[in-house]
């Protein structure tokens, strides 16, 4: 089995945002991702234009990915069967073997019983298509509930997208989240984070940091899920704070933020590759 190394649109969060003068398009981000040695995957995650993209547009995205030598994955939010059916169609059009989603979407927050009902309705089509649905660990849903639903349904096409940084806001320790989710993990969001004191020492801020410098133990997660043996793709993303001019002492926070985001990308790719040698 093969574990591909990929970049998510979340690694281009600011570079694709309207807070910069010339935002990257999806095509721009894909081209940039393909320019990095060792990157073979691009996860189009929570990219709203996919909700309504025509089949012609999806075909163009797939053609570009093929031209660049990139495997595609897609990501969305929610478990409503109609929405999951839409994203199965998107995945099939893009040649993607995995759809990452989240248990909830905005105000739509089903309880475990309803989530299980929805998933059982949606999954037969995923099973027939051979596409995996991976639900992400995050603070809105207890990891124990997520694992229980995945375990109960026991579909070969249902698993977990592991992101232990997310659940800290629920006071779940990353080590415990990794241990619980590891048997069902089908996708790994690789990022790091850390705490800093808020101004005036009142409270903390929990934000992204360069991979390997924060509170998350990359080596321990890698050992727990064994991505190469199990074919779990590793997808790089960030929680990079906007680089405010007052913090970075520059008159152009947009330029600084995009520069830092690009530097974090390079650093993370090299960090991960150093662990493979």
């Amino acid at each position: 089995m093969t574990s591909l190394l990929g970049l998510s649109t979340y690694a281009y969060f600011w570079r694709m945002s309207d807070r910069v003068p010339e935002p990257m398009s999806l095509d721009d981000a894909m081209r940039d991702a393909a320019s990095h040695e060792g990157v073979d995957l691009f996860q189009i995650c929570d990219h709203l234009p996919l909700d309504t993209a025509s089949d012609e547009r999806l075909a163009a995205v797939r053609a570009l990915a093929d031209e660049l030598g990139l495997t595609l994955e897609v990501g969305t939010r929610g478990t409503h069967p109609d929405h999951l059916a839409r994203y199965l169609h998107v995945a099939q059009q893009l040649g993607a073997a995995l759809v990452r989603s989240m248990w909830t979407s905005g105000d739509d927050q089903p309880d475990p019983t309803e989530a299980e009902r929805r998933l059982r309705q949606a999954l037969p089509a995923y099973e027939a298509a051979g596409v995996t649905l991976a639900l992400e660990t995050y603070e809105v849903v207890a990891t124990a509930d997520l694992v229980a639903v995945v375990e109960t349904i026991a579909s070969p096409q249902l698993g977990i997208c592991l992101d232990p940084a997310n659940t800290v806001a629920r006071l779940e320790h990353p080590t415990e989240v990794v241990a619980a989710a590891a048997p069902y993990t089908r996708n790994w969001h690789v990022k790091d984070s850390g705490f800093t004191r808020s101004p005036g020492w009142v409270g903390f801020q929990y934000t992204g940091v360069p991979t390997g410098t924060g509170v998350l133990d990359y080596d321990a997660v890698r050992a727990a899920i064994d991505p190469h043996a199990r074919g779990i793709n590793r997808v790089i993303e960030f929680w990079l704070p906007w680089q405010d001019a007052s913090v970075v002492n520059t008159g152009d926070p947009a330029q600084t933020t995009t520069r830092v985001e690009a530097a974090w990308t390079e650093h993370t790719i090299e960090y991960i590759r150093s662990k493979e040698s």
Side-chain angles (χ1 to χ4, degrees), residues 163-169 172 174 191-198 204-209 215-216 239 241:
D163 192 333
N166 292 345
T167 58
V168 170
E172 293 186 347
K191 67 171 179 272
D192 206 348
S193 55
F195 291 92
T196 56
R197 282 282 187 179
S198 296
F204 293 88
Q205 293 177 321
Y206 181 57
T207 63
V209 296
V215 298
L216 296 175
W239 274 346

Side-chain angles (χ1 to χ4, degrees), residues 20-277:
V20 300
E22 297 181 5
M24 277 185 167
S25 67
L26 177 61
D27 292 7
D28 293 335
M30 290 170 61
R31 290 189 179 95
D32 184 83
S35 72
H36 295 285
E37 184 179 353
V39 172
D40 299 306
L41 173 76
F42 193 77
Q43 188 175 90
I44 309 172
C45 200
D46 298 345
H47 184 66
L48 291 181
L50 287 188
D51 283 8
T52 56
S54 67
D55 284 357
E56 290 75 17
R57 171 56 181 155
L58 296 175
V61 173
R62 180 172 184 172
L64 178 58
D66 290 343
E67 176 188 328
L68 296 171
L70 290 174
T71 297
L72 294 177
E73 294 178 346
V74 294
T76 187
R77 299 184 185 188
T79 50
H80 193 284
D82 290 345
H83 187 66
L84 291 179
R86 164 61 186 175
Y87 267 81
L88 175 58
H89 176 77
V90 170
Q92 290 177 300
Q93 295 299 111
L94 295 179
L98 182 136
V99 174
R100 164 277 202 187
S101 195
M102 306 180 90
W103 182 312
T104 65
S105 178
D107 293 333
D108 180 29
Q109 300 193 17
D111 63 18
T113 299
E114 173 62 10
E116 180 181 340
R117 185 197 67 78
R118 293 179 178 190
L119 291 167
R120 287 190 184 278
Q121 182 177 335
L123 277 166
Y126 277 76
E127 292 166 354
V131 174
T132 294
L133 175 63
L135 300 178
E136 187 164 351
T137 55
Y138 67 121
E139 71 281 357
V140 178
V141 174
T143 300
D145 288 341
L146 177 61
V147 169
V149 167
V150 171
E151 188 174 55
T152 298
I153 294 175
S155 167
Q157 301 307 135
L158 177 64
I160 289 175
C161 174
L162 179 62
D163 192 333
N166 292 345
T167 58
V168 170
R170 195 181 178 86
L171 298 183
E172 293 186 347
H173 195 284
T175 301
E176 296 170 355
V177 172
V178 171
Y184 310 100
T185 296
R186 303 295 294 275
N187 201 240
W188 178 17
H189 278 179
V190 180
K191 67 171 179 272
D192 206 348
S193 55
F195 291 92
T196 56
R197 282 282 187 179
S198 296
W201 280 63
V202 179
F204 293 88
Q205 293 177 321
Y206 181 57
T207 63
V209 296
T211 306
T213 68
V215 298
L216 296 175
D217 189 336
Y218 176 90
D219 292 332
V221 178
R222 181 170 176 265
I225 67 174
D226 200 357
H228 289 285
R230 296 171 58 196
I232 297 169
N233 292 336
R234 298 151 294 151
V235 181
I236 296 168
E237 61 175 36
F238 306 126
W239 274 346
L240 171 66
W242 180 257
Q243 303 295 286
D244 187 83
S246 64
V247 176
V248 299
N249 194 28
T250 174
D252 190 351
Q255 184 179 54
T256 300
T257 301
T258 56
R259 176 181 56 78
V260 171
E261 192 172 66
W264 279 26
T265 299
E266 292 282 0
H267 166 83
T268 304
I269 293 169
E270 289 305 313
Y271 179 87
I272 292 172
R273 291 177 64 194
S274 73
K275 297 293 184 176
E276 307 294 328
S277 60

